[in-house]
Amino acid sequence: YVSLDGSYRRTDFVDRSRSAHQLRALASGRAYNISVFSVKRNVNNKNDISRPVMLTTRTRPRPVEGFEITNVTASAITVQWALHRLKHSTVSRVRVSIRQPGDLADRTVELNSSVAKYTFLDLQPGERYIVHVTTLSGVGTEDHLSESLATATLHPLTGPLPPQNLTASRVTTTSVSMVWEQPPAGAVEGYIINVTTAQSVKSRYVPNGKLVSYTVRDLLPGQRYRLSVTAVQNTEQGQVHSEPIYLYVTTLQRDGALERRWSQAGHPRVLRNRLPPAFLPELRLLADHNAAEEPSPAPRFTELVDGRGRISARFGKSITMKTREGQNCSTNPCRNGGTCTRDIKSYHCSCRPGFKGRLCELACKKVPHSCTRLYSETKSFPVWEGGTCHYLYRRVYKVHQDVCYKESCKSSGSEKTTSRKPSTSHTLKKS
């Protein structure tokens, strides 16, 4: 037997009692011409040799190395492999196949030996697939094409569909609320929320597949953020992620005039435990011009309702409240160095940093407290299958201890802490 290029030649002698022989020490993926003779030995060492029986065949090429899944989405699976320059010198093509467990035939593609990655498209989300790859030697059937043994078969699962129609339902100075469509039942088991700025990335995993909205808090005013939502599905091999859906938003600037306009529109985030207006409207009869003008009675109140729903009081006798006439900035009602600005009907105070409230009467500071942050990282795990070592990549979530800050406001005149929760109802009900 001799290789087609003539670089290797060898002769084996086999006893007549045998009808099979194994040729050893051959190169992988090479074609050989094999000739079998029958020999009759003579006394004078001049042996008689029959006509040869000829056979041309090719050894199997080596299988690929490092076969692994590099990316999985809801509709695509990407695999990659490696071919050594010397060990795989006889490999001419690579055949990659995929199928679902119930399919009768594979989806197969043959690639040039210089290609080391391929992506199967148009797959079904959340489905199990079987993927394997083999190498081929030879140009065609006339060149005695041979195929390697299949590598360790992979069983990837396509990921869930990404969240659909992700939008920002509400943007404030320190928070952004996001909403998306409800996924099919059982298709998603959780979501990963990422908040990215130019300096940092924060990630949180929410193990709730029925989640359709999320509010990102503790943001900075006037800052641009990139938010992303990724659907997660749990499998035997670990978590499978969908493609992330991105949302780019910029939080609102901290503007007092903007908050006043929001308050007039009835927005629930603005506190309503403020002082009554400086001027209360008066009702006069204009029909009788000769009637003597009488002073308007002061407004009377019989019930006090706290906008936060914490305090409610009724009075047996009505309470008369006197209005303050001509309230302006001449007396500078703003406390703690606040600047008074006159409006059409009243005034408002622009507070110094660290103070809030209608009259800048609240001293606010950020109080640190312990909290946890959830971070994710990708790790590789070596796995032996069929005598071949390959790596599986899994996303691992870790909880890190961190320090968060909560705003605490106290009246500058007393030690009583002031709640900063929003109010949604009227403060006083007039009798």
Side-chain angles (χ1 to χ4, degrees), residues 67 69 71 73-79 81 95-99 106-109 111 117-123 129-132 156 158:
F67 182 47
I69 304 292
N71 188 40
T73 67
S75 60
I77 295 176
T78 301
V79 295
W81 57 89
R95 179 179 292 167
V96 190
S97 302
I98 188 173
R99 66 180 176 89
D106 293 350
R107 284 176 52 185
T108 302
V109 60
L111 307 170
K117 180 182 289 188
Y118 186 75
T119 300
F120 291 98
L121 303 174
D122 300 327
L123 305 181
Y129 286 87
I130 301 173
V131 185
H132 61 272
T158 51

